[in-house]
């Protein structure tokens, strides 16, 4: 007797391949890690966490672990772990606090002509030794020059100190000496140095003298810090302007941006794709009803519609067609479709179709009804978006107005008050000026700039959240709007408000060349 074959049932319910939530969790994980790191960097540089030596916690931690004596290689981290302010030498031992040279150049606008004896005064800026704890800071100097005169004419190029002593000189002869320049390992800071050019042959002047002087200037302020000991980071020169993209204030905005924007942007992109599917869903239901009325089964109708154009819905229609070709029941196929898309509109329409399919009613009418219902809902949503659009525009306009007022206050008004009070003598110990019975204290522009920036960032969080919530009814949309507002604030403040004069970057002084006269002195030229 032949053995009866067992009936094998294969469940063709496809595995879930939607990785939307998995990707969202990955984005959230990295966003939170980066956001908290950014916030940690900001808080350790902001001054809100007091330290015993008054320096930012970040520099104390970093330099305490990495500072080394450049000569001996011994650790100098103890200077950043004590209650004493780090010395100039200690700052020099830490690579992020090292005082690097600024280059000052003096070039002649017009060459000196017909020179028998000529001199010009200039100043040499520099960091005073009392600010370096007695450490001598070398400032190299290079003087390049060319002299045109009758061949064989002897000349002298010299630099004289403010007290009249000879600092350096170069004797040469036109046609024999190729270089009339002077190089100094260091030149001390001081006013009224004198550059001297002489023709050492009576009656033979030098026809033309061209020169340029370069000095490496040190101001004693750590490279990545301003004169209030706050982190500003390296400067990025963009040609028309320079910015400090890693200034500690930026990390306050970066923190909120990283925490809220990447995940909300991704989720809104998913929601937009779902919205595009919903836009095409009524057309799909209408066409499905027409094919049903034409006598085709649901299976054949869906497989035929898989070759049509439904935009964002194409992928899902083709997937339903494949499932039907594998023998999965129509009711299960549309149920899985509703679960994959997951929007209330599609779930409701599919539930209605499933119940009609089970009841055996005239499903074409149900499809038409579901299509009309979906189309009406999308129309109402579009009307709502148009109505809310004006309110969103008002929110963005108010934010731009607020941002503009804040930038004007930070850039113009507060610095003007600070400059007007800087020379006051009647402000008591706090400085400032007195007008009648009213005393105006000195103000720190950087303090107000910091407060204004924090205020603008918080305004971006509030305004953006409200705008997105009103427009879409989702906090993810609000966080996306907030992230965009934070980006606008970062760009405006970095390119306008965070200028060197407001964040405490000292200006590079010039050599201030002035008109001078040659005063003969009995100097032995060698």
């Amino acid at each position: 007797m032949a053995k009866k074959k067992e009936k094998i049932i294969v469940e063709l319910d496809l595995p879930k391949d939607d990785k939307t939530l998995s990707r969202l969790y990955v984005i959230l994980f990295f966003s939170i890690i980066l956001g908290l790191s950014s916030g940690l960097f900001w808080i350790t540089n902001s001054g809100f966490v007091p330290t015993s030596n008054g320096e930012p916690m970040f520099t104390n931690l970093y330099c305490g672990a990495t500072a080394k004596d450049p000569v001996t290689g011994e650790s100098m981290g103890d200077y950043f772990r004590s209650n004493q302010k780090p010395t100039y030498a200690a700052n020099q031992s830490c690579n992020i606090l090292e005082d690097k040279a600024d280059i000052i150049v003096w070039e002649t606008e017009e060459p000196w002509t017909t020179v028998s004896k000529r001199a010009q005064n200039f100043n040499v800026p520099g960091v005073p030794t009392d600010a370096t704890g007695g450490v001598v800071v070398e400032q190299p100097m290079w003087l390049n020059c060319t002299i045109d005169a009758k061949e064989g004419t002897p000349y002298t190029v010299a630099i004289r100190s403010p007290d009249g002593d000879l600092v350096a000189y170069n004797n040469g002869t036109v046609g024999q000496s190729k270089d009339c320049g002077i190089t100094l390992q260091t030149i001390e800071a001081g006013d009224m140095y004198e550059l001297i050019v002489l023709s050492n042959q009576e009656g033979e002047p030098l026809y033309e003298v061209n020169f340029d002087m370069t000095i490496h200037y040190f101001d004693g302020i750590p490279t990545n810090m301003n004169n209030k000991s706050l982190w500003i980071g390296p400067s990025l020169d963009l040609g028309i302007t320079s910015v400090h993209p890693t200034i500690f204030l930026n990390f306050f905005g970066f923190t909120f941006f990283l925490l809220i924007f990447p995940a909300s942007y991704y989720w809104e992109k998913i929601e937009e794709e779902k919205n595009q599917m919903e836009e095409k869903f009524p057309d799909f239901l209408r066409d499905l009803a027409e094919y049903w009325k034409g006598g085709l089964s649901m299976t054949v109708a869906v497989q035929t519609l898989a070759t049509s154009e439904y935009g964002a819905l194409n992928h899902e229609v083709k997937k339903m067609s494949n499932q039907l070709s594998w023998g999965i029941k129509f009711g299960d196929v549309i149920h899985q479709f509703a679960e994959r898309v997951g929007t209330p509109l599609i779930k409701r329409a599919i539930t209605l179709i499933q119940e009609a399919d089970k009841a055996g009613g005239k499903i074409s009418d149900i499809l038409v009804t579901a299509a009309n219902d979906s189309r009406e809902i999308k129309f109402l949503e579009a009307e709502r978006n148009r109505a809310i659009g004006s309110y969103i525009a008002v929110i963005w306009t108010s934010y731009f107005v607020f941002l503009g007022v804040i930038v004007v206050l930070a850039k113009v008004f507060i610095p003007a008050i600070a400059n007007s009070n800087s020379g006051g003598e009647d402000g008591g110990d706090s400085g400032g000026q007195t007008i009648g019975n009213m005393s105006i204290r000195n103000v720190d522009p950087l303090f107000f700039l910091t407060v204004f920036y924090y205020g603008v960032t918080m305004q971006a969080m509030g305004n953006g959240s409200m705008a997105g919530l009103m427009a879409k009814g989702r906090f993810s949309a609000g966080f996306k709007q907030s992230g965009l507002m934070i980006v606008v604030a970062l760009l405006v403040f970095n390119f306008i408000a965070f200028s060197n004069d407001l964040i405490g970057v000292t200006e590079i002084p010039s050599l201030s060349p002035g008109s001078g006269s040659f005063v003969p002195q009995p100097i032995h030229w060698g």
Side-chain angles (χ1 to χ4, degrees):
M1 182 177 177
K3 186 178 179 181
K4 186 179 180 180
K5 294 183 179 179
E6 296 182 0
K7 186 178 181 180
I8 300 176
I9 300 176
V10 179
E11 296 287 345
L12 290 177
D13 188 7
L14 296 181
K16 296 289 188 299
D17 60 352
D18 186 5
K19 298 181 180 179
T20 301
L21 287 180
S22 300
R23 295 191 183 108
L24 177 64
Y25 294 147
V26 171
I27 292 173
L28 278 173
F29 175 78
F30 285 104
S31 294
I32 291 173
I33 294 297
L34 293 174
L36 293 179
S37 300
S38 176
L40 184 63
F41 184 84
W42 164 74
I43 196 69
T44 55
N45 282 284
S46 63
F48 289 125
V49 181
T51 57
S52 57
N53 60 4
E55 295 298 299
M57 179 183 288
F58 169 74
T59 56
N60 283 339
L61 292 173
Y62 180 86
C63 295
T66 62
K68 291 184 179 181
D69 188 292
V71 178
T72 64
E74 296 180 356
S75 173
M76 297 186 69
D78 291 340
Y79 286 94
F80 298 92
R81 291 189 287 265
S82 67
N83 56 4
Q84 300 292 326
K85 189 175 181 65
T87 62
Y88 180 84
N91 285 341
Q92 291 296 96
S93 68
C94 182
N95 61 339
I96 63 173
L97 297 182
E98 184 180 359
D99 182 18
K100 296 181 180 178
D102 291 311
I103 299 176
I104 307 175
V105 178
W106 169 28
E107 284 186 283
T108 52
E109 296 181 359
E110 295 182 358
W112 292 0
T113 57
T114 317
V115 176
S116 295
K117 299 177 181 180
R118 185 167 176 179
Q120 188 163 1
N121 297 326
F122 65 94
N123 301 332
V124 177
V127 55
T129 54
D130 58 351
T132 64
V135 176
V136 177
V137 181
E138 293 188 348
Q139 299 191 136
M141 188 214 75
W142 295 268
L143 175 70
N144 301 312
C145 73
T146 58
I147 295 178
D148 181 23
K150 181 180 178 181
E151 188 170 349
T153 303
Y155 63 83
T156 295
V157 178
I159 296 177
R160 206 153 51 180
S161 67
D163 55 9
D165 295 334
L166 188 65
V167 176
Y169 67 93
N170 186 349
N171 289 330
T173 303
V174 176
Q176 298 179 10
S177 303
K178 295 183 180 180
D179 184 12
C180 61
I182 295 174
T183 301
L184 291 175
Q185 183 175 350
T186 182
I187 184 168
E188 296 180 1
D191 295 339
M192 301 297 288
Y193 276 87
E194 194 173 31
L195 173 63
I196 303 170
V197 178
L198 299 173
S199 171
N200 294 331
Q201 184 172 335
E202 190 71 27
E204 287 294 340
L206 307 176
Y207 301 154
E208 185 175 283
V209 179
N210 290 279
F211 66 87
D212 63 81
M213 181 182 294
T214 303
I215 295 179
H216 283 189
Y217 156 71
F218 293 84
D219 60 4
I221 299 174
T223 300
N224 291 321
M225 312 292 283
N226 67 4
N227 54 12
K228 298 293 182 182
S229 294
L230 294 173
W231 179 267
I232 59 171
S235 174
L236 177 62
D237 189 5
L238 300 178
I240 58 174
T241 185
S242 63
V243 296
H244 293 261
T246 61
I247 184 173
F248 80 100
L249 286 171
N250 279 344
F251 285 87
F252 182 76
F254 291 158
T255 298
F256 291 99
F257 178 82
L258 291 170
L259 286 175
I260 67 174
F261 185 77
S264 62
Y265 177 81
Y266 172 75
W267 192 250
E268 283 304 298
K269 187 177 179 181
I270 297 300
E271 291 294 331
E272 180 59 30
E273 291 176 357
K274 291 181 179 179
N275 181 66
Q276 292 175 0
M277 291 183 187
E278 289 182 344
E279 292 286 348
K280 293 295 183 179
F281 184 62
D283 295 335
F284 170 71
L285 293 181
R286 182 201 61 203
D287 294 342
L288 195 61
E290 292 297 327
Y291 277 97
W292 177 266
K293 290 178 181 179
L296 297 179
S297 66
M298 282 297 179
T299 299
V300 176
V302 172
Q303 290 175 338
T304 305
L305 291 176
T307 60
S308 301
E309 178 58 43
Y310 292 106
L313 202 59
N314 281 343
H315 178 68
E316 292 297 334
V317 175
K318 290 177 181 178
K319 182 174 289 188
M320 286 190 288
S321 174
N322 292 336
Q323 288 178 306
L324 290 170
S325 67
W326 295 333
I328 303 177
K329 292 189 299 184
F330 176 74
D332 294 337
V333 169
I334 59 175
H335 175 73
Q336 291 177 23
F337 162 69
E339 290 298 321
R340 284 195 303 270
V341 178
T343 64
L345 183 146
I346 291 181
K347 279 187 174 181
R348 184 173 65 175
I350 293 300
T351 301
L352 182 64
I353 295 170
Q354 282 181 304
E355 294 301 321
D357 185 45
K358 291 177 183 178
K362 193 175 182 181
I363 198 170
S364 59
D365 292 342
I366 302 298
L367 289 172
V368 172
T369 301
N372 292 336
D373 179 64
S374 300
R375 184 174 287 107
E376 185 67 24
I377 290 175
K378 297 307 294 181
F379 175 78
L380 292 175
E381 286 183 1
E383 284 293 312
R384 176 177 176 270
N385 290 336
R386 282 191 288 270
I388 292 295
S390 59
Y391 294 99
I392 306 302
V394 169
I395 290 176
W396 271 93
T397 302
S398 66
Y399 177 72
F400 278 116
V401 171
F402 176 74
L403 182 60
V405 170
I406 288 297
V407 169
V408 170
L409 285 174
K411 186 68 178 176
V412 180
F413 187 68
I414 297 300
I417 294 177
N419 292 335
S420 67
N421 290 346
S422 60
E425 300 177 355
D426 301 325
D429 295 337
S430 63
Q433 291 184 351
T434 300
I435 303 176
N437 294 326
M438 181 176 65
S439 177
I440 303 178
R441 294 176 177 270
N442 281 339
V443 296
D444 177 14
L446 181 58
F447 169 78
F448 285 93
L449 182 65
T450 302
V451 173
F452 290 157
Y453 177 70
Y454 293 158
V456 167
T457 304
M458 291 296 97
Q459 183 81 357
M461 289 292 296
N463 279 13
S465 298
M466 184 57 63
L469 194 60
M470 291 172 60
K472 303 293 184 180
R474 298 186 297 268
F475 275 108
S476 59
F479 290 154
K480 179 182 175 181
Q481 297 273 357
S482 295
L484 294 175
M485 288 185 176
I486 289 174
V487 169
V488 171
L490 283 168
L491 292 175
V492 169
F493 269 80
N494 276 274
F495 283 96
I496 300 177
F498 292 160
S499 55
N500 288 341
D501 57 329
L502 289 181
I503 65 176
V505 179
T506 56
E507 293 185 3
I508 301 176
S510 69
L511 297 180
S512 304
S515 59
S517 58
F518 176 67
V519 180
Q521 295 188 21
I523 296 176
H524 176 65
W525 299 108

